Amino acid sequence: MQVVASLSLKGGVGKTTVALGLAGAAQQHGLRTLVVDLDPQANATIALDVGPTSATVADVLDEPRLSVLRAAIAPSAWGEGLDVMVGAEQAERHNHPEPGPAQVGRLRRALQRLDRLDADSVDGLDDEAPDPYRLVVVDCPPSLGQLTRSALAAADRAVLVTDPTMFAVSGVQRAFDAVQTERQRSNPDLQPLGVLINRVRPRNAEHDFRIAELRELFGPLVLPGVLPDRSAIQQAQGACMPIQRWDTPGAREASTVFTLLLGRVLRSERPRRTPRVATAPPAPN
Ligand SMILES: Nc1ncnc2c1ncn2[C@@H]1O[C@H](COP(=O)(O)OP(=O)(O)O)[C@@H](O)[C@H]1O
Ligand SMILES: [Mg+2]
């Protein structure tokens, strides 16, 4: 199980869009995926069109017991192989600005519990269990409080999402610092996967300038594939559909970027200590 957080300390830059795009790419490539919706606005849960559940991520953070976890996870209407740990406004009560280590570690413990359960099912201890989650995508809120820190404490990799605007450099720098800090504090395995520039318009001088600036400062950390500004992204989200199934040229452009991102996620995986079922990675292009 590989855990990837979609991070930016700014609202509206595309964290949820990237979480959804990555989850859709993983589903398309047959990788069983869980989206953890840590944002109290629960936009990912809405776009993934999840039915009612008796618990939410807020309850998991109260008490990461297996029964609570099971009650908080539901299938997405996007189809087979994609589940959601549902978001809720109540998660805000877990967004303490100065959380202690036990609070920050709760999501990590919950996901480790799920992973152990998955390992049992692979070992044949539970015949009824579905395949293990290959990927967990955590959609973060925009602030650097307990919720975002919980995501970073649980994640192997963080995608730093930004738009190509004047404040991009300082925003990415702060997100990068948050990753470094959490790695030192609680999660030595955490690494930035890269900076994904979103909402890029072609032939826009300001965007070109900002992209060049980001590449100069963050070098190879800036992902080569930028996500274009395409109304298909909003349309697919509004229709609660994965962009991968929204058949327009703009949607196909965005899907390609998410497939590349998924490839990078899978290539970045650490070797596992316990054997897992082999799953074919997507084609590199
Ligand atoms: N590449 C894009 N092209 C067009 N619209 C986009 C794109 N990325 C994000 N949006 C839209 O911008 C809004 C904010 O994006 P969202 O992913 O919710 O940001 P965040 O999660 O960081 O707050 C949403 O309405 C989303 O559909
Ligand atoms: Mg969001």
Side-chain angles (χ1 to χ4, degrees):
M1 185 167 90
Q2 196 179 5
V3 184
V4 178
S6 181
L7 173 74
S8 147
L9 304 181
K10 206 170 144 210
V13 294
K15 290 176 293 299
T16 302
T17 298
V18 169
L20 295 172
L22 186 58
Q27 185 189 32
Q28 188 186 38
H29 288 90
L31 310 179
R32 189 158 179 262
T33 297
L34 174 70
V35 173
V36 176
D37 189 355
L38 269 192
D39 189 344
Q41 288 187 53
N43 292 343
T45 301
I46 296 163
L48 288 158
D49 200 9
V50 187
T53 52
S54 57
T56 70
V57 73
D59 303 298
V60 171
L61 294 174
D62 282 337
E63 203 180 357
R65 272 190 297 125
L66 213 46
S67 57
V68 181
L69 264 164
R70 282 196 166 121
I73 294 176
S76 156
W78 286 11
E80 214 175 302
L82 185 56
D83 291 347
V84 188
M85 188 186 290
V86 305
E89 219 180 317
Q90 291 81 350
E92 195 57 60
R93 70 171 177 259
H94 291 286
N95 212 6
H96 198 280
E98 300 286 341
Q103 289 167 303
V104 169
R106 272 184 207 151
L107 179 67
R108 183 185 177 92
R109 284 203 301 284
L111 294 180
Q112 282 171 343
R113 215 155 275 180
L114 263 188
D115 202 23
R116 275 203 300 277
L117 188 74
D118 277 352
D120 289 349
S121 72
V122 169
D123 294 341
L125 299 180
D126 182 354
D127 292 342
E128 303 279 292
D131 287 344
Y133 290 116
R134 177 71 167 76
L135 185 67
V136 176
V137 181
V138 187
D139 188 23
C140 294
S143 62
L144 184 57
Q146 183 184 343
L147 290 168
T148 296
R149 286 200 47 208
S150 307
L152 294 180
D156 301 298
R157 294 290 178 269
V159 183
L160 314 185
V161 186
T162 186
D163 48 11
T165 60
M166 183 176 157
F167 306 110
V169 168
S170 60
V172 170
Q173 187 62 55
R174 284 196 313 128
F176 191 67
D177 292 346
V179 168
Q180 306 288 71
T181 305
E182 208 53 53
R183 183 195 310 144
Q184 282 155 14
R185 277 180 174 162
S186 73
N187 182 2
D189 294 331
L190 176 67
Q191 293 286 346
L193 183 81
V195 176
L196 181 60
I197 309 175
N198 183 27
R199 300 204 81 156
V200 175
R201 295 202 196 110
R203 296 175 298 283
N204 180 310
E206 172 66 9
H207 285 190
D208 291 346
F209 178 81
R210 296 301 166 192
I211 292 168
E213 190 176 46
L214 284 164
R215 289 201 200 284
E216 197 177 313
L217 280 160
F218 297 100
L221 203 59
V222 178
L223 298 173
V226 299
L227 199 54
D229 193 322
R230 292 287 176 269
S231 54
I233 289 183
Q234 289 166 28
Q235 288 162 352
Q237 286 170 5
C240 299
M241 288 268 289
I243 192 73
Q244 287 77 10
R245 265 183 265 147
W246 199 260
D247 199 14
T248 65
R252 282 193 288 276
E253 258 181 276
S255 292
T256 304
V257 176
F258 291 127
T259 302
L260 289 171
L261 183 66
L262 176 65
R264 183 144 172 153
V265 166
L266 297 178
R267 282 194 301 278
S268 77
E269 192 170 24
R270 288 173 291 133
R272 301 206 64 105
R273 264 161 269 154
T274 48
R276 281 283 183 277
V277 227
T279 321
N285 285 308

